[in-house]
Amino acid sequence: MDSINLYLLRMTWQQQLTHQINILPPVSTFIDDLEDAIAWWFEPAMAKPNLQSMPQATGELVPRSYFPEVSLQYGRSELDKIRYAARNRLCAVVLYHGLNRLVEPYSLRYPSTGNKILHVWEVEKNGMVSDSHKSFRINEITSASVSNQPFIPKWIVEL
């Protein structure tokens, strides 16, 4: 295979993958990541600069979990849904303290308090534009789901 037919990839993305992946990231996200990976490999100077950690995310980084634990009774955990969204550069919808929040998930940390804290960029809170950093205690997240709204990371995604 000498080249990737981007036209064919764009045209068949949905048709070929929707039966395998419940919430399919946009093809543009995949192509951007692919082009950057190829640039990094062949021409590092052309690759996107490395992103930094979210400045407000302090404390010890919680190790990544690559394989979610799925309960036959309950399905995927709320945190695993958020991790899925983060890895696929999709916003998550989080119900936290009774409010629906559309967020870009970035980091999971253990601060000195010992709580597990999720650091996000909150895009909307109850349908109103928020555009601010938020930190949520994992045990206080009532529910989470993956949205179909993509985001371009401002910081490194550490989930």
Side-chain angles (χ1 to χ4, degrees):
M1 181 168 159
D2 295 332
S3 66
I4 297 169
N5 184 331
L6 293 180
Y7 174 78
L8 183 61
L9 178 62
R10 282 187 181 94
M11 302 296 4
T12 60
W13 180 257
Q14 292 277 133
Q15 174 188 354
Q16 295 294 324
L17 295 174
T18 52
H19 67 284
Q20 298 174 33
I21 302 172
N22 291 340
I23 300 171
L24 186 63
V27 67
S28 58
T29 303
F30 175 77
I31 291 172
D32 288 348
D33 287 348
L34 181 64
E35 288 173 345
D36 187 51
I38 291 170
W40 177 84
W41 189 264
F42 290 109
E43 296 182 44
M46 300 295 291
K48 295 176 191 171
N50 289 332
L51 296 172
Q52 301 299 312
S53 291
M54 184 180 235
Q56 301 91 336
T58 59
E60 184 182 337
L61 191 61
V62 174
R64 283 187 172 198
S65 172
Y66 292 99
F67 300 101
E69 294 180 23
V70 178
S71 162
L72 295 176
Q73 184 176 6
Y74 301 109
R76 289 193 307 176
S77 73
E78 305 313 305
L79 183 55
D80 283 331
K81 293 173 193 173
I82 295 167
R83 282 184 166 127
Y84 179 88
R87 285 192 197 115
N88 289 287
R89 313 258 192 316
L90 293 168
C91 289
V93 177
V94 175
L95 182 60
Y96 188 74
H97 291 177
L99 301 172
N100 273 314
R101 300 155 188 268
L102 181 69
V103 300
E104 299 173 2
Y106 284 100
S107 187
L108 190 59
R109 303 285 181 120
Y110 289 119
S112 58
T113 60
N115 299 311
K116 197 183 284 189
I117 304 292
L118 174 68
H119 291 273
V120 302
W121 186 256
E122 186 178 70
V123 179
E124 293 179 1
K125 179 160 81 175
N126 269 358
M128 303 296 289
V129 175
S130 175
D131 278 335
S132 60
H133 166 264
K134 297 291 178 184
S135 53
F136 303 144
R137 291 173 77 171
I138 291 298
N139 63 336
E140 295 178 11
I141 293 175
T142 308
S143 68
S145 62
V146 180
S147 80
N148 60 2
Q149 180 175 325
F151 71 92
I152 297 170
K154 298 167 184 56
W155 300 280
I156 190 168
V157 175
E158 300 174 319
L159 290 169

